[in-house]
Amino acid sequence: MRPAPHAGDWLRRYKDVPPAEQEKALSNDKHFQQLPADHQQRLRERLRQFNALPPEQKQRLVERMEKWESLSPEQRDHVRHLQDTLRNMPEDRRNNVRKAIHSLMESTPEQRKQTLASEQFKSSFNEDERSVIQGMMEIEDPGEPPPGPPHNH
């Protein structure tokens, strides 16, 4: 039996198809048909939300899905741990950490390295916050580990 395709595969295939045709394709998908009704409804809602996004956000979302699918199970667990840590932060700190992550993701690998090594970065974020930011950068660019001691999560 063939494994179920990745969500990113389906979305890549149908991202530029009109929403009505997407709905039809989704309804006719044998893997989708095997899901419980509540799960099907959640996926339909997520597809509607996706279709409401501007094109550049759609593209970033597809790229993030591709990135997620390329991660090993250990890396996925690590990301889930980082997300849990982030969720447990006070809202203002969580927002600052998210802004830092997004800013770093827009930077070149060299700029990231400089920012992560800077005193301003070290003084702006506590240990947990730096751990989340650095961990997300490790996942974003595994070939360029951030400066500092290795992380044992």
Side-chain angles (χ1 to χ4, degrees):
M1 187 168 130
R2 271 184 49 202
H6 292 290
D9 294 339
W10 191 94
L11 198 53
R12 262 188 306 287
R13 189 174 317 120
Y14 292 100
K15 71 180 170 78
D16 298 320
V17 172
E21 290 180 41
Q22 287 177 343
E23 286 273 345
K24 185 176 179 183
L26 191 62
S27 294
N28 291 331
D29 185 283
K30 66 180 179 186
H31 296 287
F32 179 79
Q33 292 169 352
Q34 294 170 357
L35 297 172
D38 61 325
H39 194 169
Q40 289 181 10
Q41 188 55 40
R42 281 195 308 274
L43 288 175
R44 281 191 176 98
E45 181 56 34
R46 288 175 64 190
L47 182 59
R48 285 185 203 104
Q49 290 169 351
F50 174 81
N51 284 322
L53 296 173
E56 62 277 358
Q57 279 187 292
K58 285 181 179 180
Q59 185 58 38
R60 276 198 307 267
L61 185 60
V62 169
E63 288 168 3
R64 281 178 37 215
M65 290 176 80
E66 289 172 349
K67 180 76 172 176
W68 178 257
E69 291 166 359
S70 72
L71 298 177
S72 69
E74 295 80 18
Q75 288 173 312
R76 288 182 189 191
D77 287 344
H78 180 64
V79 170
R80 286 185 191 104
H81 170 75
L82 295 171
Q83 290 171 334
D84 288 344
T85 303
L86 184 62
R87 255 190 299 280
N88 290 324
M89 291 178 187
E91 184 177 359
D92 63 324
R93 299 308 303 161
R94 183 172 54 238
N95 289 337
N96 286 345
V97 168
R98 283 186 176 140
K99 285 178 189 171
I101 291 169
H102 291 290
S103 175
L104 286 166
M105 289 174 78
E106 301 286 322
S107 303
T108 66
E110 186 57 37
Q111 290 169 325
R112 269 186 223 146
K113 192 185 247 181
Q114 289 174 352
T115 299
L116 293 171
S118 74
E119 285 305 315
Q120 181 181 357
F121 175 77
K122 293 173 184 170
S123 64
S124 297
F125 299 99
N126 68 34
E127 188 177 333
D128 281 347
E129 293 164 348
R130 287 192 308 269
S131 175
V132 168
I133 295 167
Q134 290 173 327
M136 293 305 282
M137 293 305 101
E138 289 170 5
I139 296 298
E140 182 63 23
D141 192 1
E144 288 287 329
H151 300 287
N152 296 323
H153 297 286

